Amino acid sequence: MTVFKTLGQFIIEKQADFPYAKGEFSRLLRDIGIAAKIVNREVNKAGLADILGAAGKVNIQGEGQQKLDVYADEQFIAALRSGGECCVVASEEHENPICIQSEVSKNAKYVVCIDPLDGSSNIDVNVSVGTVFSIYRRISMSGEATLSDILQKGAVQVAAGYIIYGSSTMLVYTTGKGVNGFTLDPSIGEFCLSHPEIKIPAQGRIYSVNEGNYRKFPEGVKKYIKYCEEEDEATGRPYIARYIGSLVADIHRNLLLGGVFLYPNTSSHANGKLRLMYEANPVAFIVEQAGGKASDGVQRILDLTPTELHQRTALYCGSKDMVERIESYLQERT
Ligand code: P6P
């Protein structure tokens, strides 16, 4: 019988990658893993608990909050608060950052940006949803964390990861030394290493985009979609259109199989829809660490300078060759 390495064992083992590590980062990752298991328990039985449907509230994005959104947000913040390794949390569900002022946490080293339950509109129809998180080292030396502790470029993330609550529940993360995936074994309540050193193929055959917005897309995106649909045996076209409408699920599938995800800026969303700090930056870090690419069509996502907590960006992310073709089309003079 194969004995899988648990997330906890892996984290401790990899702690040696950080010569000055004293365990704080390992404990922070552990705290996120614990919250993920708690959220997973509710997501898995959402149809049975009074936790489906709208919470009757609206979040900072002006989007109707799902009950599970609110629940997930509470669980991750509670885990980070009790863990003591995080001084401030920036959550998709809150307009302002949440400073963790406990005696233990107020001088903690780490900042967490999180989308507690991304794709939550899919919950009621049992489509995979996910949590996306990004971890930075605080810049200020002590006291209450400030916005400048949070608004850091994606390129300086200490770690990034996502949890996908799908046919199985997986936690995938990177600390800048590759990407590893862990599958939750409900029989022992542990995330176990199931996908070591994930690498995304440089070229894939899957493209993920909401073609309902086709008419609003930039010309270069329209040109790329037409390229994907053309018959060409030598390049395996037409490609395969797959769009779940849940960022984590679309990114995860492309990460394992190869492919590209597109969420362009459109005539109605001039800066795109996805959020830089807790959607684009973390998935960009993961995909780059797996050998892929992530861009806003012009710039590398991880090089974008954040100016607002909930700022949006266009996102083209996945197999390197596919992203580069999109960039070449977008940069053509029309
Ligand atoms: P659209 C879910 O609401 C989300 O934030 C991402 O998870 C997903 O990739 C995107 O929006 C889907 O947006 O406009 O295609 O429904």
Side-chain angles (χ1 to χ4, degrees):
M1 176 190 165
T2 309
V3 178
F4 289 97
K5 189 174 294 179
T6 66
L7 175 63
Q9 291 166 333
F10 185 87
I11 292 170
I12 296 300
E13 186 182 286
K14 293 297 177 184
Q15 192 170 297
D17 288 349
F18 301 89
Y20 307 108
K22 296 196 292 289
E24 296 107 324
F25 179 72
S26 299
R27 282 191 295 275
L28 178 59
L29 272 179
R30 175 211 60 196
D31 298 340
I32 290 171
I34 291 168
K37 288 190 270 191
I38 295 169
V39 171
N40 174 68
R41 182 186 61 200
E42 296 310 310
V43 166
N44 276 353
K45 64 180 184 184
L48 296 173
D50 174 26
I51 204 159
L52 273 180
K57 293 190 276 184
V58 174
N59 69 8
I60 157 68
Q61 327 293 343
E63 295 161 350
Q65 277 184 313
Q66 302 294 320
K67 288 179 184 174
L68 217 44
D69 273 350
V70 174
Y71 178 81
D73 181 59
E74 289 167 352
Q75 291 306 319
F76 278 100
I77 291 173
L80 292 169
R81 192 184 301 279
S82 63
E85 304 303 346
C86 169
C87 63
V88 62
V89 184
S91 165
E92 196 226 19
E93 299 300 328
H94 298 269
E95 181 170 3
N96 300 308
I98 296 162
C99 282
I100 298 183
Q101 278 309 302
S102 68
E103 265 318 298
V104 175
S105 302
K106 67 183 179 183
N107 294 320
K109 282 166 69 173
Y110 295 106
V111 169
V112 174
C113 300
I114 190 165
D115 186 350
L117 207 65
D118 177 74
S120 53
S121 55
N122 292 308
I123 293 167
D124 290 5
V125 294
N126 210 8
V127 167
S128 299
V129 292
T131 298
V132 196
F133 64 89
S134 173
I135 301 174
Y136 292 91
R137 204 168 277 103
R138 74 180 292 174
I139 297 171
S140 56
M141 298 312 287
S142 62
E144 186 162 301
T146 64
L147 207 49
S148 59
D149 284 307
I150 299 167
L151 297 181
Q152 301 183 55
K153 283 186 178 183
V156 298
Q157 288 175 92
V158 174
Y162 60 75
I163 297 103
I164 177 169
Y165 310 95
S167 45
S168 67
T169 295
M170 281 190 68
L171 186 151
V172 175
Y173 82 97
T174 182
T175 60
K177 296 180 183 296
V179 179
N180 291 283
F182 301 79
T183 300
L184 182 64
D185 180 343
S187 69
I188 59 172
E190 289 285 1
F191 281 105
C192 299
L193 182 62
S194 53
H195 296 68
E197 297 175 21
I198 297 172
K199 289 295 176 200
I200 184 171
Q203 177 62 46
R205 295 190 60 235
I206 295 171
Y207 67 108
S208 311
V209 62
N210 181 345
E211 291 199 52
N213 296 322
Y214 180 85
R215 298 167 65 86
K216 304 177 192 171
F217 286 157
E219 285 309 311
V221 171
K222 292 180 180 176
K223 181 176 178 180
Y224 183 71
I225 291 172
K226 289 299 163 218
Y227 172 83
C228 293
E229 293 168 346
E230 283 164 355
E231 293 271 352
D232 178 81
E233 201 172 326
T235 53
R237 290 180 289 149
Y239 289 161
I240 301 159
R242 288 287 183 275
Y243 191 72
I244 300 169
S246 187
L247 177 68
V248 172
D250 280 315
I251 293 289
H252 184 71
R253 180 206 48 242
N254 292 352
L255 186 70
L256 298 186
L257 301 180
V260 67
F261 174 88
L262 304 85
Y263 208 104
N265 50 310
T266 63
S267 44
S268 56
H269 280 84
N271 297 315
K273 172 184 180 183
L274 299 176
R275 308 295 177 169
L276 176 61
M277 296 310 295
Y278 40 77
E279 289 177 324
N281 268 336
V283 299
F285 189 19
I286 292 165
V287 169
E288 278 200 6
Q289 281 291 309
K293 196 161 185 182
S295 148
D296 68 355
V298 177
Q299 274 189 279
R300 179 180 179 233
I301 290 289
L302 299 185
D303 289 339
L304 296 176
T305 301
T307 52
E308 290 168 30
L309 189 52
H310 299 289
Q311 76 184 66
R312 301 174 190 266
T313 178
L315 177 65
Y316 305 97
C317 179
S319 292
K320 185 169 175 296
D321 296 355
M322 300 175 91
V323 173
E324 288 178 349
R325 179 175 291 276
I326 296 169
E327 289 175 322
S328 68
Y329 290 175
L330 282 168
Q331 289 159 27
E332 282 173 357
R333 291 263 172 267
T334 47

